[in-house]
């Protein structure tokens, strides 16, 4: 058995557990449907969070990622509960894999403990890299077009020409 912390309380759970994560975007939304599905799937612990996927801090998710052990399976009701983009999904799946754990999404029937799931993980990895490369290419093309149009890029100067003349005059005194 090992000790996990859930909502600040230590609980003993054996390695190899199904660990659930349920999230809704706003405090008004209800977690019951997700929690019920996760418990029905066999999750002994379900971490609950009421915060947007775009939020920079999701403390319960961070706690799961930190506490995952080899043999555990991280389970969500739906992929969008975990990540907000392909790149974000790949990053999280990589963290889960590095912990020696598996990942399962109930709605999409995605399970990295199976050969098909591992294949899909590699496809997601390739898609994330492709998405990143496209973003870089579009950004560079946009910057090139802006320069060609004579647009001045970067932050606006904080010292105006008038201010510069006044500073230069003060320095000559």
């Amino acid at each position: 058995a090992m000790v996990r912390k859930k909502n600040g309380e230590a609980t003993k759970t054996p390695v190899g557990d199904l660990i659930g994560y349920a999230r809704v975007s706003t405090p008004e939304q209800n977690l019951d449907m997700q929690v019920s599905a996760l418990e029905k799937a066999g999750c002994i612990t379900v971490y609950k969070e009421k915060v947007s996927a775009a939020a920079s801090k999701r403390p319960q998710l961070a706690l799961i990622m930190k506490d995952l052990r080899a043999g555990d399976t991280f389970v969500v009701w739906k992929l969008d509960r975990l990540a907000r983009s392909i790149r974000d999904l790949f990053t999280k799946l990589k963290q889960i894999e590095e912990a020696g754990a598996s990942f399962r999404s109930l709605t999409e029937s995605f399970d990295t403990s199976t050969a098909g799931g591992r294949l899909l993980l590699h496809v997601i990895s390739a898609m994330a890299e492709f998405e990143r490369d496209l973003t870089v290419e579009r950004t560079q093309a946009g910057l090139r077009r802006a320069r060609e149009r004579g647009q001045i890029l970067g932050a606006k100067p904080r010292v105006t020409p008038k201010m510069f003349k006044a500073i230069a005059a003060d320095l000559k005194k």
Side-chain angles (χ1 to χ4, degrees):
M2 62 178 279
V3 176
R4 293 185 189 276
K5 288 190 178 174
K6 180 181 176 193
N7 300 329
E9 283 182 37
T11 59
K12 284 192 171 196
T13 57
V15 173
D17 290 331
L18 297 180
I19 309 299
Y21 176 66
R23 183 187 60 76
V24 290
S25 299
T26 65
E28 301 83 37
Q29 292 176 324
N30 194 313
L31 291 161
D32 292 348
M33 181 184 67
Q34 290 179 54
V35 171
S36 176
L38 292 166
E39 287 173 347
K40 186 177 175 187
C43 293
I44 60 146
T45 306
V46 177
Y47 291 77
K48 302 168 193 146
E49 200 140 58
K50 291 189 175 190
V51 64
S52 167
S56 60
K57 292 189 180 176
R58 291 188 268 167
Q60 292 299 303
L61 178 59
L63 184 61
I64 294 172
M65 298 305 267
K66 182 175 154 266
D67 287 347
L68 272 178
R69 302 289 179 256
D72 285 349
T73 301
F74 183 141
V75 185
V76 295
W77 174 67
K78 196 171 180 188
L79 281 173
D80 68 356
R81 302 298 84 200
L82 177 63
R84 62 187 175 274
S85 68
I86 290 175
R87 191 177 318 144
D88 186 34
L89 176 63
F90 176 69
T91 300
K92 299 244 178 359
L93 291 175
K94 196 75 180 151
Q95 285 178 296
I96 293 166
E97 182 183 52
E98 287 169 0
S102 299
F103 172 77
R104 184 183 309 162
S105 172
L106 301 177
T107 304
E108 291 87 3
S109 299
F110 177 68
D111 186 344
T112 64
S113 70
T114 67
R118 286 188 297 277
L119 172 64
L120 193 51
L121 176 60
H122 291 290
V123 170
I124 290 170
S125 167
M127 292 299 291
E129 190 174 330
F130 178 68
E131 180 182 46
R132 188 183 143 286
D133 290 347
L134 284 178
T135 301
V136 169
E137 285 177 17
R138 284 192 300 261
T139 301
Q140 289 173 346
L143 291 171
R144 253 191 324 277
R145 284 192 299 274
R147 277 191 220 97
E148 288 167 2
R149 288 190 309 265
Q151 192 172 346
I152 298 170
L153 303 172
K156 293 190 188 268
R158 292 180 185 206
V159 178
T160 65
K162 187 177 178 181
M163 291 167 65
F164 184 78
K165 285 180 185 175
I167 292 168
D170 284 345
L171 289 174
K172 287 182 182 177
K173 291 181 187 176

